[in-house]
Short mmCIF file of all heavy atoms in Angstrom, two decimals:
data_model
loop_
_atom_site.label_atom_id
_atom_site.label_comp_id
_atom_site.label_asym_id
_atom_site.label_seq_id
_atom_site.Cartn_x
_atom_site.Cartn_y
_atom_site.Cartn_z
N GLN W 6 0.76 -13.36 13.29
CA GLN W 6 1.68 -13.84 12.31
C GLN W 6 2.95 -14.44 12.97
O GLN W 6 3.35 -14.07 14.08
CB GLN W 6 2.04 -12.71 11.33
CG GLN W 6 0.85 -12.20 10.56
CD GLN W 6 1.24 -11.21 9.51
OE1 GLN W 6 0.63 -10.16 9.41
NE2 GLN W 6 2.24 -11.48 8.66
N SER W 7 3.64 -15.27 12.20
CA SER W 7 4.91 -15.87 12.58
C SER W 7 6.00 -14.83 12.62
O SER W 7 5.79 -13.70 12.05
CB SER W 7 5.28 -17.01 11.72
OG SER W 7 5.21 -16.70 10.33
N GLY W 8 7.11 -15.09 13.27
CA GLY W 8 8.14 -14.15 13.43
C GLY W 8 9.01 -13.82 12.23
O GLY W 8 8.91 -14.44 11.15
N ALA W 9 9.87 -12.81 12.40
CA ALA W 9 10.78 -12.41 11.31
C ALA W 9 11.68 -13.52 10.88
O ALA W 9 12.03 -14.36 11.68
CB ALA W 9 11.56 -11.17 11.77
N GLU W 10 12.02 -13.49 9.61
CA GLU W 10 12.86 -14.51 9.02
C GLU W 10 14.00 -13.85 8.24
O GLU W 10 13.84 -12.82 7.61
CB GLU W 10 12.03 -15.35 8.02
CG GLU W 10 10.83 -16.04 8.51
CD GLU W 10 11.18 -17.38 9.14
OE1 GLU W 10 12.34 -17.78 9.11
OE2 GLU W 10 10.21 -18.05 9.57
N VAL W 11 15.17 -14.49 8.33
CA VAL W 11 16.36 -14.09 7.51
C VAL W 11 16.76 -15.34 6.72
O VAL W 11 17.05 -16.38 7.30
CB VAL W 11 17.53 -13.60 8.42
CG1 VAL W 11 18.72 -13.26 7.59
CG2 VAL W 11 17.11 -12.41 9.22
N LYS W 12 16.77 -15.24 5.43
CA LYS W 12 16.98 -16.32 4.56
C LYS W 12 18.01 -15.94 3.46
O LYS W 12 18.25 -14.76 3.24
CB LYS W 12 15.74 -16.83 3.87
CG LYS W 12 14.59 -17.10 4.85
CD LYS W 12 14.85 -18.32 5.74
CE LYS W 12 14.57 -19.63 5.03
NZ LYS W 12 14.67 -20.79 5.98
N GLU W 16 16.59 -20.23 -0.98
CA GLU W 16 16.02 -20.98 0.05
C GLU W 16 14.48 -20.93 -0.08
O GLU W 16 13.96 -20.07 -0.64
CB GLU W 16 16.46 -20.55 1.46
CG GLU W 16 17.94 -20.83 1.72
CD GLU W 16 18.38 -20.47 3.10
OE1 GLU W 16 17.81 -19.51 3.74
OE2 GLU W 16 19.32 -21.19 3.61
N SER W 17 13.86 -21.90 0.63
CA SER W 17 12.38 -21.90 0.71
C SER W 17 11.95 -21.31 2.05
O SER W 17 12.67 -21.18 3.01
CB SER W 17 11.84 -23.32 0.56
OG SER W 17 12.28 -24.11 1.63
N LEU W 18 10.61 -20.88 2.06
CA LEU W 18 10.12 -20.26 3.26
C LEU W 18 8.63 -20.42 3.32
O LEU W 18 7.95 -20.31 2.29
CB LEU W 18 10.50 -18.80 3.30
CG LEU W 18 9.94 -18.02 4.52
CD1 LEU W 18 10.47 -18.54 5.82
CD2 LEU W 18 10.28 -16.48 4.40
N LYS W 19 8.06 -20.64 4.42
CA LYS W 19 6.60 -20.62 4.69
C LYS W 19 6.35 -19.79 5.91
O LYS W 19 6.84 -20.14 7.01
CB LYS W 19 6.10 -22.10 4.85
CG LYS W 19 4.63 -22.28 4.76
CD LYS W 19 4.35 -23.81 4.82
CE LYS W 19 2.92 -24.07 4.47
NZ LYS W 19 2.68 -25.55 4.47
N ILE W 20 5.59 -18.73 5.79
CA ILE W 20 5.23 -17.95 6.96
C ILE W 20 3.73 -18.15 7.22
O ILE W 20 2.96 -18.58 6.35
CB ILE W 20 5.50 -16.43 6.79
CG1 ILE W 20 4.78 -15.84 5.65
CG2 ILE W 20 7.01 -16.22 6.60
CD1 ILE W 20 4.95 -14.29 5.47
N SER W 21 3.35 -17.83 8.46
CA SER W 21 1.98 -18.23 8.87
C SER W 21 1.18 -17.12 9.47
O SER W 21 1.75 -16.07 9.88
CB SER W 21 2.03 -19.42 9.85
OG SER W 21 2.66 -19.01 11.06
N CYS W 22 -0.08 -17.31 9.53
CA CYS W 22 -1.04 -16.34 10.09
C CYS W 22 -2.12 -17.12 10.74
O CYS W 22 -2.93 -17.80 10.09
CB CYS W 22 -1.60 -15.45 8.96
SG CYS W 22 -3.01 -14.37 9.39
N TRP W 36 -2.99 -11.79 1.73
CA TRP W 36 -1.55 -11.43 2.03
C TRP W 36 -1.26 -10.11 1.26
O TRP W 36 -1.61 -10.00 0.06
CB TRP W 36 -0.62 -12.53 1.63
CG TRP W 36 -0.72 -13.72 2.53
CD1 TRP W 36 -1.48 -14.83 2.35
CD2 TRP W 36 -0.06 -13.91 3.79
NE1 TRP W 36 -1.35 -15.71 3.40
CE2 TRP W 36 -0.47 -15.12 4.30
CE3 TRP W 36 0.84 -13.14 4.55
CZ2 TRP W 36 -0.03 -15.67 5.51
CZ3 TRP W 36 1.24 -13.65 5.76
CH2 TRP W 36 0.87 -14.85 6.26
N VAL W 68 4.45 -17.30 -5.58
CA VAL W 68 4.14 -17.71 -4.20
C VAL W 68 2.98 -18.71 -4.18
O VAL W 68 2.22 -18.74 -5.16
CB VAL W 68 3.84 -16.53 -3.32
CG1 VAL W 68 4.98 -15.59 -3.14
CG2 VAL W 68 2.57 -15.77 -3.77
N THR W 69 2.81 -19.37 -3.04
CA THR W 69 1.63 -20.23 -2.83
C THR W 69 0.96 -19.85 -1.56
O THR W 69 1.61 -19.70 -0.50
CB THR W 69 2.08 -21.73 -2.79
OG1 THR W 69 2.69 -22.05 -4.02
CG2 THR W 69 0.86 -22.60 -2.58
N ILE W 70 -0.35 -19.69 -1.65
CA ILE W 70 -1.20 -19.37 -0.51
C ILE W 70 -1.95 -20.60 -0.15
O ILE W 70 -2.56 -21.26 -1.05
CB ILE W 70 -2.09 -18.21 -0.75
CG1 ILE W 70 -1.29 -16.91 -0.97
CG2 ILE W 70 -3.11 -18.01 0.41
CD1 ILE W 70 -2.11 -15.70 -1.45
N SER W 71 -1.97 -20.98 1.13
CA SER W 71 -2.66 -22.20 1.52
C SER W 71 -3.23 -21.98 2.93
O SER W 71 -3.02 -20.92 3.59
CB SER W 71 -1.74 -23.37 1.54
OG SER W 71 -0.64 -23.14 2.50
N ALA W 72 -4.02 -22.87 3.39
CA ALA W 72 -4.61 -22.79 4.69
C ALA W 72 -4.87 -24.18 5.31
O ALA W 72 -5.07 -25.11 4.60
CB ALA W 72 -5.94 -22.02 4.64
N ASP W 73 -4.82 -24.20 6.63
CA ASP W 73 -5.11 -25.46 7.35
C ASP W 73 -6.25 -25.08 8.31
O ASP W 73 -5.96 -24.49 9.37
CB ASP W 73 -3.92 -25.96 8.09
CG ASP W 73 -4.10 -27.29 8.78
OD1 ASP W 73 -5.30 -27.63 9.03
OD2 ASP W 73 -3.11 -27.96 9.18
N ILE W 76 -6.30 -25.92 12.18
CA ILE W 76 -5.57 -25.13 13.22
C ILE W 76 -5.74 -23.66 12.92
O ILE W 76 -4.92 -22.82 13.36
CB ILE W 76 -4.09 -25.48 13.23
CG1 ILE W 76 -3.42 -25.43 11.82
CG2 ILE W 76 -3.91 -26.89 13.87
CD1 ILE W 76 -1.92 -25.64 11.86
N THR W 78 -5.18 -21.58 10.51
CA THR W 78 -3.89 -20.92 10.05
C THR W 78 -3.76 -20.88 8.54
O THR W 78 -4.07 -21.89 7.86
CB THR W 78 -2.67 -21.68 10.73
OG1 THR W 78 -2.80 -21.66 12.11
CG2 THR W 78 -1.38 -21.00 10.25
N ALA W 79 -3.39 -19.71 8.09
CA ALA W 79 -3.14 -19.52 6.66
C ALA W 79 -1.60 -19.33 6.44
O ALA W 79 -0.86 -18.99 7.40
CB ALA W 79 -3.85 -18.27 6.12
N TYR W 80 -1.19 -19.68 5.25
CA TYR W 80 0.24 -19.67 4.96
C TYR W 80 0.59 -18.95 3.69
O TYR W 80 -0.25 -18.86 2.74
CB TYR W 80 0.77 -21.10 4.82
CG TYR W 80 0.57 -21.95 6.04
CD1 TYR W 80 -0.53 -22.76 6.15
CD2 TYR W 80 1.44 -21.92 7.08
CE1 TYR W 80 -0.73 -23.57 7.26
CE2 TYR W 80 1.24 -22.74 8.22
CZ TYR W 80 0.18 -23.52 8.27
OH TYR W 80 -0.04 -24.35 9.39
N LEU W 81 1.78 -18.41 3.58
CA LEU W 81 2.38 -17.82 2.36
C LEU W 81 3.70 -18.50 2.20
O LEU W 81 4.56 -18.50 3.10
CB LEU W 81 2.49 -16.31 2.52
CG LEU W 81 3.11 -15.59 1.34
CD1 LEU W 81 2.22 -15.71 0.12
CD2 LEU W 81 3.28 -14.06 1.74
N GLN W 82 3.92 -19.07 1.01
CA GLN W 82 5.08 -19.90 0.88
C GLN W 82 5.88 -19.52 -0.43
O GLN W 82 5.29 -19.21 -1.44
CB GLN W 82 4.61 -21.37 0.69
CG GLN W 82 5.72 -22.42 0.58
CD GLN W 82 5.06 -23.82 0.57
OE1 GLN W 82 3.83 -23.99 0.60
NE2 GLN W 82 5.89 -24.76 0.60
N TRP W 83 7.18 -19.64 -0.32
CA TRP W 83 8.06 -19.47 -1.45
C TRP W 83 8.92 -20.79 -1.63
O TRP W 83 9.34 -21.31 -0.59
CB TRP W 83 9.05 -18.30 -1.29
CG TRP W 83 8.48 -16.95 -1.19
CD1 TRP W 83 8.43 -16.01 -2.17
CD2 TRP W 83 7.88 -16.29 -0.01
NE1 TRP W 83 7.90 -14.85 -1.70
CE2 TRP W 83 7.50 -14.98 -0.39
CE3 TRP W 83 7.66 -16.70 1.26
CZ2 TRP W 83 6.95 -14.09 0.48
CZ3 TRP W 83 7.12 -15.86 2.15
CH2 TRP W 83 6.74 -14.55 1.75
N THR W 84 9.21 -21.17 -2.80
CA THR W 84 10.08 -22.36 -2.99
C THR W 84 11.54 -21.89 -3.27
O THR W 84 12.46 -22.63 -2.93
CB THR W 84 9.61 -23.17 -4.22
OG1 THR W 84 9.56 -22.38 -5.35
CG2 THR W 84 8.26 -23.81 -3.94
N SER W 85 11.72 -20.69 -3.78
CA SER W 85 13.06 -20.21 -4.03
C SER W 85 13.11 -18.71 -3.90
O SER W 85 12.68 -17.98 -4.86
CB SER W 85 13.56 -20.70 -5.45
OG SER W 85 14.87 -20.26 -5.70
N LEU W 86 13.56 -18.25 -2.73
CA LEU W 86 13.55 -16.78 -2.45
C LEU W 86 14.57 -16.06 -3.29
O LEU W 86 15.66 -16.59 -3.66
CB LEU W 86 13.78 -16.60 -0.99
CG LEU W 86 12.68 -16.95 -0.02
CD1 LEU W 86 13.16 -17.16 1.34
CD2 LEU W 86 11.59 -15.90 -0.11
N PHE W 94 5.38 -8.53 5.26
CA PHE W 94 4.19 -9.20 4.71
C PHE W 94 3.07 -9.19 5.79
O PHE W 94 3.34 -9.59 6.94
CB PHE W 94 4.50 -10.60 4.33
CG PHE W 94 5.45 -10.66 3.13
CD1 PHE W 94 6.83 -10.67 3.33
CD2 PHE W 94 4.96 -10.70 1.81
CE1 PHE W 94 7.69 -10.69 2.27
CE2 PHE W 94 5.88 -10.69 0.76
CZ PHE W 94 7.24 -10.70 0.98
N THR W 113 5.04 -9.73 9.14
CA THR W 113 6.22 -10.60 9.21
C THR W 113 7.29 -10.06 8.28
O THR W 113 7.05 -9.92 7.04
CB THR W 113 5.93 -12.07 8.81
OG1 THR W 113 4.98 -12.63 9.72
CG2 THR W 113 7.15 -12.93 8.71
N LEU W 114 8.40 -9.67 8.88
CA LEU W 114 9.53 -9.15 8.03
C LEU W 114 10.34 -10.28 7.55
O LEU W 114 10.86 -11.14 8.26
CB LEU W 114 10.37 -8.21 8.90
CG LEU W 114 11.59 -7.60 8.13
CD1 LEU W 114 11.10 -6.69 6.98
CD2 LEU W 114 12.50 -6.82 9.14
N VAL W 115 10.49 -10.34 6.17
CA VAL W 115 11.31 -11.33 5.53
C VAL W 115 12.48 -10.65 4.89
O VAL W 115 12.32 -9.76 4.11
CB VAL W 115 10.53 -12.16 4.51
CG1 VAL W 115 11.45 -13.08 3.67
CG2 VAL W 115 9.37 -12.94 5.12
#
Side-chain angles (χ1 to χ4, degrees):
Chain W
Q6 298 183 228
S7 49
E10 301 273 1
V11 179
K12 307 293 278 186
E16 292 186 328
S17 63
L18 176 63
K19 193 174 190 178
I20 62 174
S21 67
C22 170
W36 289 93
V68 296
T69 300
I70 294 172
S71 61
D73 184 340
I76 54 172
T78 300
Y80 301 97
L81 178 64
Q82 183 175 7
W83 295 260
T84 55
S85 182
L86 287 160
F94 295 89
T113 296
L114 179 63
V115 173

